[in-house]
Amino acid sequence: MALRDTIDFLLYDWLAAQGLTQRDRFADHSRETFDAVLDTCERIARDKYAPFNRLVDTQEPAFDGEKVILPACTQAALDAYVQSGMLSAAQDHDIGGMQLPYTVEAAANAFFACASVSIGVSMLTVGNANLLMKHGSGLQKQVFALNEFNGRFAGTMCLSEPQAGSSLSDVATRATPDGDDHVSDPLGARYRLKGNKMWISTGDHELTENIIHLVLAKIPGPDGKTIAGTKGISLFIVPKQLVDTQGQLTGERNDVALAGLNHKLGWRGTVNTLLNFGEGKYPVRGEAGAVGYLVGEAGKGLQCMFHMMNEARIGVGLAATMLGMAGYYASLDYAKTRTQGRPVGPTGKDPSQPPVRLIEHADVKRMLLAQKAYGEGALALGLYCARLVDELHTGDAAQRSDAQWLLEVLTPIVKSWPSEWCLEGNSLAIQIHGGYGYTRDFPVEQYWRDQRLNMIHEGTHGIQAMDLLGRKVLLEDGRGLKLMSKHILATVAQAQAAGSDLAAHALSLQLALQHTSEATQAAWAGSDPALALANAVPYMQAFGHTVIAWVWLQVALVSQGEGDANLGRRQACQFFFRYELPKIGAWLNVVNSRDSTCADIPEAAF
């Protein structure tokens, strides 16, 4: 089944996205306008992205000493994306937006990720601008955010540093007041930043007039010292090119220098950089130090940045999902056309018979079903979380509260689960291709390489797992976990009433939920938080499988009609319950027992 058919089913038959048009914000929309957006994005992805996926992988970004050089197709793809209006799809009409539900926006963007995940700069630009719309001043919104939404400027987020990695407590970039009048600058309190930022995607390029960096830094106190930990971190707007209060370039370059390009395993079409802030290569008004404007309150930058990071985590999860789907479609097509081997009959193999297509072998069907279960299950979860974002923004008080608490526990899952299991799906796609899968004659090896980065993007598995077990499921006495359990049990009851195989799946899901809830309590039964978190990743794996089983059961409930598509979804659901969900027992065993094997092994034993 084609991607569009799957998206249409999930949007309209399962999530009933057309019902959002009853809300005031989306009243100008209809199923027809949603379809028009999907049609446009599907066409642009097909014409401007997909044909160049291999090209941007082989012609990596290069730096000639003055500027970053990218293939011409990258600019053409971005221009088409900007012209489609998707940069401001969710924004208000009065600033040029479409007021599109995030559910539909996320579904539309899925086409681009499936076609070529590393072309373009849109995800970070939109996240950057959304953060400023929430936390920036009126003029910061006008000068920076709106020019990102219209495509003039691109955006980044600058968190990691070479010496600190993901440990934001150890951020060493410093921001000092820029003159006695620094607080009176109309663009925000003005500071000079000095430091280095690593792994900055889209950190330098010539695709747009300007690049707006959102940079985490610490402001020293009168004694020259900074507050330890994350509480002293502030957030700054640092444009590559300085601008005036009308958003026009002043012609003066800010003191932000490209120190080098990182050449990664995958996502090679995306520029990835090491940036030096304030080294003096481009002095501003005769002084070293990159000019930056404070966003929000000093010392509260991380809270602001997490607004962007949480959006990015849903985006990374959907990107991982679509790479998994791309591999599935490629290997499905290959399995339908490649002949190899002969079927085993009552008397064994008959060499006189012609070879059969790969898809006729049960083990190949297993690998295809696994990819379908991983990819379509992850897509359903991603769109479900996107729908929760719409509930959070436009629902009534009860809907907003439910959405907030469900997103608390599901955000680590929607980022981490697709990036782990769709990677496994990409590995199976290579396996189906056999030896050809390792060659560049077929796209599946690139999908795997691109996919491998998603386990690192926006927080590693370990970070997501500690966030889930160490914070999210404990907040307000487990309010989010209890709410999710309530929703799961409602699906269980619905499936039990439906009878047949769904009733058996419902029982399996109920037991999985029970075991996961018990493991949550067991992990924290001791007095040592370090030991409780030592097995956070197995906990998250079990939690994620339980969530995906819940999603698949919901999907199966609305796939009871005739037709190959409904049969395929029911079979994928059955596969997940029979082949995947039983895995949670092994993961939860070490959580329940607070196993200390990993925590206790001394360094010398390695």
Side-chain angles (χ1 to χ4, degrees):
M1 186 170 61
L3 175 59
R4 178 59 182 273
D5 296 327
T6 300
I7 285 178
D8 282 350
F9 169 82
L10 292 174
L11 275 183
Y12 302 125
D13 296 308
W14 179 46
L15 293 174
Q18 63 273 26
L20 289 169
T21 61
Q22 301 303 309
R23 298 184 179 179
D24 289 344
R25 179 165 184 80
F26 310 125
D28 289 342
H29 285 290
S30 64
R31 167 74 185 262
E32 287 71 28
T33 65
F34 292 166
D35 284 344
V37 170
L38 297 175
D39 290 341
T40 298
C41 292
E42 186 177 21
R43 174 181 52 78
I44 295 172
R46 182 181 63 245
D47 296 345
K48 300 294 185 180
Y49 285 68
F52 307 104
N53 189 49
R54 176 62 76 187
L55 177 67
V56 298
D57 183 64
T58 56
Q59 294 186 17
E60 293 185 64
F63 181 51
D64 67 0
E66 295 293 331
K67 62 182 182 298
V68 173
I69 301 169
L70 292 165
C73 62
T74 306
Q75 185 74 65
L78 177 61
D79 290 346
Y81 190 87
V82 170
Q83 290 165 15
S84 75
M86 286 300 292
L87 279 173
S88 58
Q91 300 307 307
D92 294 349
H93 291 312
D94 59 8
I95 63 170
M98 289 191 265
Q99 290 189 197
L100 197 68
Y102 181 56
T103 313
V104 180
E105 179 188 7
N109 279 324
F111 292 111
F112 300 105
C114 191
S116 183
V117 75
S118 69
I119 292 181
V121 299
S122 58
M123 184 179 79
L124 289 173
T125 296
V126 172
N128 179 307
N130 283 341
L131 181 152
L132 292 176
M133 293 300 290
K134 184 173 179 65
H135 298 287
S137 68
L139 195 57
Q140 287 173 344
K141 296 175 188 178
Q142 188 73 32
V143 170
F144 300 110
L146 296 193
N147 280 312
E148 290 180 281
F149 285 135
N150 67 28
R152 282 187 62 212
F153 300 167
T156 75
M157 60 178 182
C158 300
L159 290 78
S160 298
E161 298 182 357
Q163 83 292 341
S166 300
S167 180
L168 297 181
S169 297
D170 299 315
V171 163
T173 301
R174 296 292 180 262
T176 56
D178 183 31
D180 295 337
D181 64 342
H182 75 284
V183 296
S184 61
D185 195 300
L187 291 176
R190 190 180 65 250
Y191 288 76
R192 292 280 186 146
L193 276 70
K194 295 184 179 181
N196 315 102
K197 293 293 181 177
M198 186 60 148
W199 313 121
I200 309 307
S201 294
T202 69
D204 202 352
H205 54 76
E206 303 296 314
L207 298 170
T208 54
E209 285 184 43
N210 205 354
I211 302 173
I212 309 304
H213 303 291
L214 287 177
V215 185
L216 292 180
K218 292 187 175 182
I219 303 172
D223 60 357
K225 296 180 180 179
T226 59
I227 299 173
T230 60
K231 292 183 179 180
I233 295 176
S234 300
L235 180 64
F236 299 88
I237 298 168
V238 184
K240 177 182 175 180
Q241 306 285 346
L242 294 176
V243 300
D244 61 22
T245 55
Q246 303 303 310
Q248 299 302 311
L249 305 188
T250 65
E252 188 171 19
R253 173 77 182 262
N254 205 355
D255 197 7
V256 183
L258 175 63
L261 300 180
N262 300 308
H263 297 283
K264 292 188 172 183
L265 174 78
W267 285 65
R268 290 177 173 175
T270 299
V271 183
N272 192 272
T273 65
L274 167 62
L275 298 177
N276 292 341
F277 291 84
E279 68 174 9
K281 184 174 182 179
Y282 303 102
V284 179
R285 295 186 294 277
E287 295 182 32
V291 173
Y293 307 100
L294 182 67
V295 178
E297 296 181 42
K300 295 187 177 180
L302 203 55
Q303 294 95 313
C304 297
M305 185 62 89
F306 267 112
H307 178 86
M308 183 176 182
M309 289 171 68
N310 284 332
E311 284 190 10
R313 284 170 177 168
I314 295 176
V316 168
L318 284 168
T321 296
M322 300 322 300
L323 280 168
M325 294 291 283
Y328 167 58
Y329 291 136
S331 60
L332 176 61
D333 182 65
Y334 187 80
K336 286 180 176 180
T337 56
R338 168 75 173 182
T339 58
Q340 187 171 325
R342 290 161 178 82
V344 178
T347 59
K349 291 184 180 180
D350 182 353
S352 67
Q353 294 296 314
V356 297
R357 295 173 302 145
L358 287 174
I359 200 169
E360 297 180 52
H361 296 291
D363 193 56
V364 174
K365 290 182 180 180
R366 174 188 65 83
M367 292 187 282
L368 289 169
L369 258 178
Q371 291 181 73
K372 182 179 177 68
Y374 300 151
E376 292 185 16
L379 180 58
L381 175 62
L383 294 180
Y384 176 77
C385 287
R387 176 63 191 260
L388 289 177
V389 172
D390 284 324
E391 297 295 329
L392 188 62
H393 292 158
T394 65
D396 59 30
Q399 290 168 328
R400 291 197 302 272
S401 177
D402 279 8
Q404 176 187 346
W405 285 103
L406 287 171
L407 282 170
E408 289 284 357
V409 294
L410 288 177
T411 297
I413 302 301
V414 76
K415 186 274 168 187
S416 64
W417 197 93
S419 66
E420 178 173 7
W421 293 99
C422 289
L423 176 67
E424 173 62 18
N426 288 128
S427 180
L428 293 173
I430 293 174
Q431 189 73 11
I432 289 172
H433 280 73
Y436 288 110
Y438 298 96
T439 72
R440 292 195 172 189
D441 298 318
F442 293 88
V444 288
E445 62 85 27
Q446 181 185 343
Y447 294 147
W448 188 94
R449 287 187 289 104
D450 285 341
Q451 184 71 277
R452 187 57 186 81
L453 275 64
N454 289 317
M455 293 179 75
I456 296 291
H457 283 159
E458 303 309 322
T460 65
H461 266 28
I463 289 172
Q464 302 296 334
M466 288 189 288
D467 182 41
L468 178 67
L469 180 57
R471 195 171 78 87
K472 295 298 181 62
V473 298
L474 303 178
L475 288 172
E476 290 199 15
D477 194 29
R479 182 173 175 180
L481 179 58
K482 290 174 182 175
L483 179 62
M484 195 189 77
S485 298
K486 177 183 174 182
H487 282 270
I488 291 176
L489 291 176
T491 303
V492 165
Q494 189 179 358
Q496 286 173 334
S500 170
D501 287 343
L502 293 187
H505 297 339
L507 178 59
S508 297
L509 177 58
Q510 186 173 4
L511 291 173
L513 175 63
Q514 179 183 334
H515 294 160
T516 303
S517 299
E518 290 171 352
T520 308
Q521 300 300 319
W524 292 103
S527 58
D528 184 358
L531 185 57
L533 294 175
N535 295 302
V537 167
Y539 174 84
M540 184 175 69
Q541 289 171 315
F543 196 104
H545 261 49
T546 301
V547 167
I548 295 294
W550 168 48
V551 167
W552 264 120
L553 191 55
Q554 288 190 57
V555 169
L557 280 165
V558 291
S559 302
Q560 294 304 298
E562 298 294 327
D564 292 338
N566 282 328
L567 175 61
R569 285 188 286 267
R570 293 197 301 270
Q571 288 293 99
C573 175
Q574 179 170 297
F575 175 89
F576 196 86
F577 272 87
R578 294 185 179 178
Y579 285 73
E580 291 293 331
L581 191 58
K583 293 177 180 177
I584 73 169
W587 293 323
L588 292 180
N589 280 343
V590 294
V591 179
N592 279 314
S593 64
R594 297 193 298 282
D595 187 87
S596 62
T597 301
C598 298
D600 289 348
I601 184 170
E603 180 180 333
F606 288 103

